[in-house]
Amino acid sequence: MAVSQRNLEYASPAGIRFTLRHKVRPPLSVDETLLRLQDYLQWEIVLHTGESVVSALRIGERHQISFWDSLIVHAAQMSRADILYTEDLNDGQVFDSVRVVSPLTIT
């Protein structure tokens, strides 16, 4: 899973638990929440470093996308993801080995 620094608080297990139990309508049961959290805890978390910032700047310049989107693309590349699900980039756009898929276009 690619996680940007600006979204890190929302990706914490406690944040996910809060969202699933209080913000989702209807809220998930404790058992359903536990299943989702157990799945989430298996994900690889990519932390951004100084090298990540440099790479993101290069990606942004090359592809003319925002720094934050570039940081997410870089994290996807570092985690060896083939697909990056996002609404923020163009569906079908390819960044080296990572292809963007908009969850809004999946049928």
Side-chain angles (χ1 to χ4, degrees), residues 1-12 16 40 43-48 68 71-76 79 84:
M1 174 181 149
V3 178
S4 73
Q5 290 278 328
R6 67 181 174 166
N7 291 330
L8 194 55
E9 67 184 20
Y10 300 110
S12 71
I16 292 173
Y40 170 77
W43 297 2
E44 177 184 355
I45 304 298
V46 176
L47 299 177
H48 296 301
W68 295 111
L71 206 52
I72 293 169
V73 168
H74 179 263
S79 67
L84 172 60

Side-chain angles (χ1 to χ4, degrees), residues 36-65:
R36 304 275 171 101
L37 279 174
Q38 288 169 341
D39 177 57
Y40 170 77
L41 292 172
Q42 301 303 309
W43 297 2
E44 177 184 355
I45 304 298
V46 176
L47 299 177
H48 296 301
T49 64
E51 182 180 316
S52 301
V53 171
V54 170
S55 294
L57 286 168
R58 289 187 177 127
I59 291 168
E61 179 67 23
R62 185 170 4 128
H63 295 283
Q64 296 298 297
I65 60 175

